[in-house]
Amino acid sequence: MIKTENLNAGYENKNILNNINLQINKGEMVSVVGPNGSGKSTLLKVLSGNMKPDSGEIFINDVEVNKYKSKNLAQVMAFLPQVLKQIPQFTVEELVSFGRFPYTGWNQSLKQEDLDKVKNAINIFDLNNFENRLLAKLSGGERQRARIAMTFAQDTDILLLDEPNTFLDISHQYKILEILSEYNKAKEKTILMVLHDLNQAKRFSDRVIVLEEGKIFADGHPDEVLSESVLEKVFSVNVKISKMEGEYKSIIPLSAVKN
Ligand code: ADP
Ligand code: MG
């Protein structure tokens, strides 16, 4: 689904991503974690075709990402960037409808199937009461749900999500991860997401990739990758990993590592 070869990328003269080789297979749900500034957002920008790498290659379904017409790429892969530069002057319903433009074109009206997908995404993310509200008049969490709903309406096989549950209250954080997990399993959607919360990454991913200073430090099963020693080394935090009720083990932060 997604494959990179010796990927290097950065800003101006500063190299950020350093020789990234990764492969994400169909139907996988993978989290990228790493400290602030480790290159997580840069990785998603490059994979989504929104930023040019300095060298190396990216293949989406075996085709180089920049060989796609933007409309065709948007039918295969949806991207939720971490930050909005500006809040656009649209209502929730208009924003979610943009998810259908790769299929209808900008000037065409939505067919019944498109309208159904928009309505469905609005329902899934609890946005019924806000459909006609301008994005600027929502809370950060409501706006974030509207943005995710747009990527759902896009109905692509691949989702790249940069901190999808940022701004959300704890209930919506879990709700969104549960919706994504269900979507991943029921429809074999491939999901690559940046998550901040390590316990959420552990619980909701088949696989976790740890970035450190633009390099892949670890890549594997969440329980192996999010170990006490990796967290101490990469995140500079002492943790205890504790068995909780049921099958889950929880990461309990104890203190920052002292230099
Ligand atoms: P993360 O998402 O892991 O917190 P980013 O990928 O956003 O990290 O950033 C990685 C590094 O690149 C940081 O040091 C950041 O300051 C730098 N950076 C990010 N965006 C830009 C930009 N537009 N111009 C210059 N430097 C940037
Ligand atoms: Mg980021």
Side-chain angles (χ1 to χ4, degrees):
M1 283 258 118
I2 305 176
K3 190 168 182 229
T4 74
E5 283 173 4
N6 306 323
L7 196 61
N8 289 282
Y11 305 95
E12 284 107 47
N13 293 324
K14 195 165 152 227
N15 183 253
I16 302 290
L17 296 179
N18 199 319
N19 204 34
I20 302 283
N21 289 291
L22 69 81
Q23 184 170 334
I24 311 289
N25 302 311
K26 184 172 170 59
E28 274 191 307
M29 184 146 170
V30 181
S31 292
V32 179
V33 301
N36 296 148
S38 55
K40 305 177 297 292
S41 294
T42 305
L43 178 63
L44 260 59
K45 280 188 247 174
V46 173
L47 293 179
S48 65
N50 282 277
M51 176 177 160
K52 274 218 174 321
D54 296 324
S55 62
E57 289 184 301
I58 300 156
F59 298 93
I60 305 297
N61 293 338
D62 298 322
V63 178
E64 246 285 293
V65 72
N66 51 37
K67 299 260 161 68
Y68 283 88
K69 287 191 179 138
S70 58
K71 182 173 157 176
N72 295 338
L73 186 61
Q75 292 178 1
V76 178
M77 185 162 75
F79 173 45
L80 179 80
Q82 184 173 7
V83 281
L84 279 182
K85 286 189 194 91
Q86 268 180 332
I87 301 172
Q89 285 294 313
F90 298 120
T91 66
V92 169
E93 192 184 15
E94 285 166 338
L95 181 79
V96 178
S97 302
F98 291 162
R100 300 307 303 161
F101 286 164
Y103 305 91
T104 61
W106 287 96
N107 296 317
Q108 287 168 32
S109 57
L110 303 188
K111 299 194 183 69
Q112 193 56 48
E113 186 198 352
D114 302 306
L115 294 171
D116 290 346
K117 289 196 163 149
V118 169
K119 194 87 208 147
N120 185 40
I122 285 174
N123 284 333
I124 291 177
F125 293 99
D126 281 347
L127 291 161
N128 292 299
N129 296 330
F130 308 111
E131 269 170 291
N132 299 314
R133 187 98 65 89
L134 283 175
L135 294 168
K137 298 197 171 171
L138 298 176
S139 75
E142 290 156 357
R143 197 151 52 231
Q144 183 69 0
R145 270 146 53 202
R147 296 175 69 222
I148 302 178
M150 182 180 94
T151 64
F152 259 58
Q154 211 174 318
D155 196 18
T156 55
D157 281 342
I158 306 174
L159 287 170
L160 301 180
L161 307 168
D162 198 345
E163 299 196 21
N165 55 15
T166 181
F167 303 121
L168 302 181
D169 61 54
I170 185 102
S171 159
H172 279 106
Q173 285 184 27
Y174 276 85
K175 187 158 184 197
I176 292 228
L177 289 169
E178 282 161 11
I179 292 167
L180 289 171
S181 179
E182 231 177 85
Y183 193 56
N184 158 261
K185 292 197 178 69
K187 299 195 170 175
E188 252 202 308
K189 300 285 183 184
T190 305
I191 301 179
L192 180 65
M193 58 186 173
V194 174
L195 287 185
H196 225 63
D197 186 306
L198 300 175
N199 281 306
Q200 292 176 354
K202 208 172 170 79
R203 177 151 165 191
F204 288 98
S205 333
D206 304 317
R207 195 174 133 198
V208 172
I209 295 172
V210 181
L211 276 190
E212 189 201 36
E213 295 183 1
K215 295 196 188 84
I216 295 180
F217 182 88
D219 177 353
H221 190 276
D223 286 338
E224 278 159 31
V225 163
L226 298 175
S227 65
E228 290 171 9
S229 64
V230 170
L231 298 187
E232 186 175 324
K233 170 123 200 351
V234 176
F235 289 88
S236 303
V237 63
N238 293 120
V239 301
K240 179 175 153 49
I241 296 183
S242 192
K243 227 178 166 53
M244 305 300 275
E245 298 276 315
E247 60 190 294
Y248 294 113
K249 289 191 208 123
S250 195
I251 301 163
I252 303 167
L254 300 175
S255 64
V257 173
K258 294 188 180 63
N259 294 320

